Amino acid sequence: MAIDLKVGAVNPTGKGFAEEFESFYARERRSVLGLAYVLSGSRSGAEDLAQEAFVAAYRSWEQVSGYDDPGAWVRRVVANRATSWLRRRAAEARALIRLGGQNYAIPPLDPEAGLIWREVRRLPLRQAQAVALRYLDGQEVSDIARILECSENTVHTHLRRGRESLSRRLADRERL
Amino acid sequence: MKTIDDRLEHAAEEVRQRVAEVPTRGTGAAARHLRVVRVVQVGAVVALVLAMIGASLLLDPTASPRGFVAPAGEPDREADLFVWFHSDIDSVTAQLAAADVATWEGVEYASFWGADQTLQEFAELFPDQPSLIEIVEQDPSVLPASIRIWVGPNADTDELVELARQTFPDAVAVGTREQRSALETGIVTSGATTTIAVPTELEQAGTDLQNAILADGKVSRDEFVRAVARMAACMTDHGLTGVTWSVDDAGGGWSSGYNSPADDAAEQAIDHLCYYSYVDRVSLSTQWAPTELTAAVAAFLPVLEELDAQVVALLNRANQIEYNWENRQATFASTTNALTSLHADLETWAASVVGRTDVPSDLEPAYAVLVDEASDLPGAAEAILLGVQAPDNGTQRRTAVTVFVQETLDVVYAIDTLRRGG
């Protein structure tokens, strides 16, 4: 009945480093969950979005563990999945079925933080992803470029435009 | 004054703190934890349909949602005509417009329904679905605003519809009570602020493609690549520009990119349409079919798919019973009856697993593990029943449910092992 959690512990490619999935999951879970939350805006569905990405990594751990940065791979999957409106709804529907009466939803944010992340989600897709990866996840520009599969210059542009738009929108709100 | 960087840092720290408060699920090891999602993933398409039906039901014109206080003078019946707007329409302007509509010949009454009222109607329709209400409360923009029009007995409804269309050229849609459900569902599922026409039905060609891929119970990497390529073509066909896509060696790491057509809602609706049409069912939870299987093992795969679906259905049944009991939506008698029935069905199912005579010889050792795991399930279900009957605070039952879920996941693991050829 024992389950082998050491899938992928041996890295057949020799690239990067071999790592047991469980320690990878324990290390990355919270930050990936946070990323899923700020990009989806769903307190109840974020965990499913994050878990989908980890499931994908788990199932392909032999390959994924051989990548230079498996965490970047998981973040890319989350970033791609978290921002689609109905995918969010599907995740929420799954969460409702799965969670039943249990409460695994992320607790509400304070109003200021909630407002800021709502405005982040209103940004164009790539800008929102870049801002979330930079500020929430603390990723460097080079890492964001790798996660989003674009150039560093493009990331700089997304971040600059994202910050400008956020400043403007927040100022507009506060004037009202 | 705080800079935008300061504010983002604060917002980030707030998220980190809240995320840290999320409990880790009680199933223990990470793989078990993840398997819960894997199991539920099997029902992802069903869940999506449920979500869409939920949106439709929310707007069901045959329901009677008027338990709450309507504006003074509003007739106590469903409105006859609806003019739907983007959810961010200015409410003052809309109320003035509704007042104007109320003066039209043949109109008995007209009123504007904004987010608050629509949300209240939603809550009236789904009093037993607090989680659904929470979802909508988090993002009320999914509910369209509307001017609702009650027509007098001798009025020409078609004429009023046409007048409404001319008067409100920016309206998302105009329709009668009979058209309401379909129209509103379309608005909801395609994004309330969409200005580009987006089909609300999944593309038949995509459904056919996914069915064809899944016909043999497996997905090859080439088949998955083909599905993603068709998704990308779908996006292009519907107006997205600069569509790119890739599938990495690990399969799950596919990505796609495109430029926005200047309408984020339309972009996301097209993304959704194409993803679910062409990729969803063959993606993520699907393992790449091993290529080294013998013909006999490959021929056994449909049996494994059937067993997988059956055990997931039984797990979902147990979850539903637990949910109903925990939330006081079921009586003691109905719950014990349901668990007794579940126990009996699990015994039958386990016996069918034990009794199979068509197991390929290559798979016999791994199949013996499945038999062993399946044999544990009836007892685990019986333990839930005993937990319900126990004179405690529910701890025994909850523990039994956790064990049952774990036992079920062990069965799914065993099936997965068989799928890989043992």
Side-chain angles (χ1 to χ4, degrees):
Chain A
M1 182 97 54
I3 297 169
D4 178 13
L5 292 177
K6 295 182 174 55
V7 285
V10 178
N11 182 351
T13 67
K15 291 185 296 185
F17 54 91
E19 181 182 32
E20 291 185 10
F21 178 80
E22 195 167 12
S23 63
F24 167 77
Y25 174 77
R27 189 182 67 240
E28 300 285 1
R29 174 179 174 266
R30 291 201 190 283
S31 62
V32 171
L33 174 59
L35 184 65
Y37 171 45
V38 300
L39 288 176
S40 71
S42 169
R43 291 194 291 117
S44 55
E47 182 154 14
D48 263 12
L49 288 165
Q51 297 304 332
E52 282 184 357
F54 280 115
V55 167
Y58 176 62
R59 300 188 76 92
S60 304
W61 189 239
E62 193 167 295
Q63 291 99 325
V64 173
S65 65
Y67 294 163
D68 288 342
D69 185 356
W73 187 90
V74 171
R75 284 167 176 77
R76 185 187 313 145
V77 173
V78 166
N80 279 335
R81 290 184 163 260
T83 41
S84 173
W85 184 85
L86 208 62
R87 285 180 206 171
R88 240 159 47 213
R89 293 303 179 276
E92 283 160 346
R94 286 197 293 276
L96 290 179
I97 292 169
R98 175 176 51 74
L99 298 180
Q102 302 174 67
N103 178 18
Y104 290 119
I106 297 170
L109 301 180
D110 72 27
E112 160 79 1
L115 169 67
I116 287 174
W117 289 118
R118 272 198 301 280
E119 290 298 335
V120 168
R121 287 190 291 276
R122 290 181 61 205
L123 295 172
L125 187 65
R126 289 301 189 194
Q127 288 180 28
Q129 291 171 340
V131 167
L133 286 164
R134 178 75 191 93
Y135 288 91
L136 178 72
D137 215 25
Q139 299 283 346
E140 298 297 332
V141 168
S142 57
D143 296 325
I144 298 172
R146 194 163 65 243
I147 291 168
L148 298 182
E149 295 182 308
C150 61
S151 71
E152 292 186 25
N153 281 340
T154 302
V155 174
H156 279 299
T157 302
H158 287 327
L159 286 172
R160 179 171 52 76
R161 288 181 180 168
R163 275 194 295 255
E164 287 171 359
S165 295
L166 276 176
S167 295
R168 193 170 54 250
R169 288 176 183 180
L170 291 169
D172 287 347
R173 277 180 168 276
E174 284 151 7
R175 266 199 299 275
L176 291 174
Chain B
M1 182 169 173
K2 286 183 181 175
T3 66
I4 189 63
D5 281 344
D6 292 338
R7 298 181 75 174
L8 278 163
E9 292 291 354
H10 161 79
E13 183 55 30
E14 174 76 6
V15 170
R16 288 185 205 107
Q17 289 180 13
R18 296 290 86 77
V19 166
E21 295 171 24
V22 177
T24 301
R25 291 178 187 144
T27 49
R32 288 181 186 276
H33 183 164
L34 293 171
R35 289 301 304 186
V36 174
V37 180
R38 156 73 182 88
V39 169
V40 178
Q41 187 77 24
V42 174
V45 173
V46 175
L48 172 65
V49 172
L50 286 175
M52 296 172 82
I53 290 173
S56 176
L57 282 175
L58 140 72
L59 306 157
D60 182 355
T62 62
S64 178
R66 308 317 307 271
F68 57 91
V69 179
E74 188 172 299
D76 189 20
R77 67 175 197 274
E78 189 73 11
D80 300 297
L81 298 180
F82 296 80
V83 184
W84 288 282
F85 298 94
H86 301 162
S87 59
D88 57 356
I89 185 174
D90 175 68
S91 64
V92 174
T93 304
Q95 285 171 23
L96 290 173
D100 184 51
V101 170
T103 66
W104 292 356
E105 186 175 347
V107 171
E108 179 183 339
Y109 191 85
S111 69
F112 171 68
W113 285 50
D116 290 346
Q117 281 169 298
T118 309
L119 185 60
Q120 199 173 356
E121 180 185 45
F122 178 86
E124 291 283 343
L125 282 168
F126 291 97
D128 56 345
Q129 298 285 345
S131 301
L132 273 178
I133 293 169
E134 185 205 351
I135 289 172
V136 180
E137 282 176 340
Q138 285 175 19
D139 186 6
S141 66
V142 302
L143 301 173
S146 59
I147 288 178
R148 302 183 180 200
I149 304 169
W150 284 260
V151 175
N154 300 315
D156 184 333
T157 301
D158 291 342
E159 196 171 290
L160 286 170
V161 166
E162 190 52 38
L163 180 57
R165 286 196 177 116
Q166 291 171 8
T167 307
F168 303 110
D170 295 332
V172 177
V174 178
T176 63
R177 180 173 59 219
E178 290 73 24
Q179 298 166 321
R180 181 185 175 195
S181 181
L183 282 170
E184 283 189 325
T185 302
I187 293 166
V188 169
T189 54
S190 63
T193 58
T194 293
T195 54
I196 293 178
V198 179
T200 57
E201 299 291 332
L202 298 186
E203 295 199 347
Q204 188 60 43
T207 304
D208 293 344
L209 174 68
Q210 293 192 75
N211 286 344
I213 289 174
L214 293 170
D216 59 358
K218 54 188 177 181
V219 181
S220 71
R221 187 177 183 282
D222 287 346
E223 286 174 327
F224 182 66
V225 167
R226 184 149 43 97
V228 175
R230 292 287 297 274
M231 175 185 75
C234 167
M235 290 174 172
T236 302
D237 289 346
H238 287 290
L240 299 187
T241 57
V243 176
T244 60
W245 60 274
S246 64
V247 177
D248 67 27
D249 292 341
W254 63 274
S255 66
S256 60
Y258 39 75
N259 297 323
S260 170
D263 181 334
D264 287 348
E267 174 188 290
Q268 293 191 9
I270 293 166
D271 173 288
H272 144 251
L273 169 79
C274 297
Y275 170 78
Y276 279 104
S277 291
Y278 290 94
V279 169
D280 182 60
R281 286 189 295 139
V282 297
S283 168
L284 200 58
S285 67
T286 310
Q287 291 189 128
W288 304 128
T291 55
E292 68 276 18
L293 291 183
T294 65
V297 172
F300 197 61
L301 286 175
V303 173
L304 296 175
E305 292 302 318
E306 187 181 356
L307 292 175
D308 188 306
Q310 288 168 344
V311 77
V312 168
L314 290 163
L315 172 62
N316 285 340
R317 234 171 98 186
N319 278 337
Q320 188 63 52
I321 295 168
E322 165 66 8
Y323 177 85
N324 290 344
W325 177 250
E326 181 74 28
N327 291 282
R328 303 180 182 185
Q329 293 176 13
T331 63
F332 177 80
S334 67
T335 300
T336 53
N337 285 341
L339 285 168
T340 302
S341 170
L342 176 68
H343 175 247
D345 289 346
L346 279 164
E347 285 201 315
T348 303
W349 183 79
S352 76
V353 173
V354 173
R356 286 207 82 91
T357 56
D358 55 350
V359 181
S361 57
D362 293 357
L363 293 181
E364 280 176 357
Y367 195 82
V369 176
L370 172 62
V371 167
D372 183 41
E373 305 290 7
S375 302
D376 291 340
L377 286 185
E382 192 173 21
I384 302 175
L385 177 59
L386 293 173
V388 169
Q389 294 166 335
D392 67 350
N393 61 359
T395 301
Q396 183 178 329
R397 187 198 81 251
R398 292 189 192 97
T399 303
V401 169
T402 301
V403 171
F404 179 82
V405 170
Q406 291 176 355
E407 298 282 6
T408 311
L409 298 182
D410 287 338
V411 170
V412 178
Y413 270 123
I415 294 173
D416 266 358
T417 303
L418 284 160
R419 280 198 187 103
R420 291 193 294 269

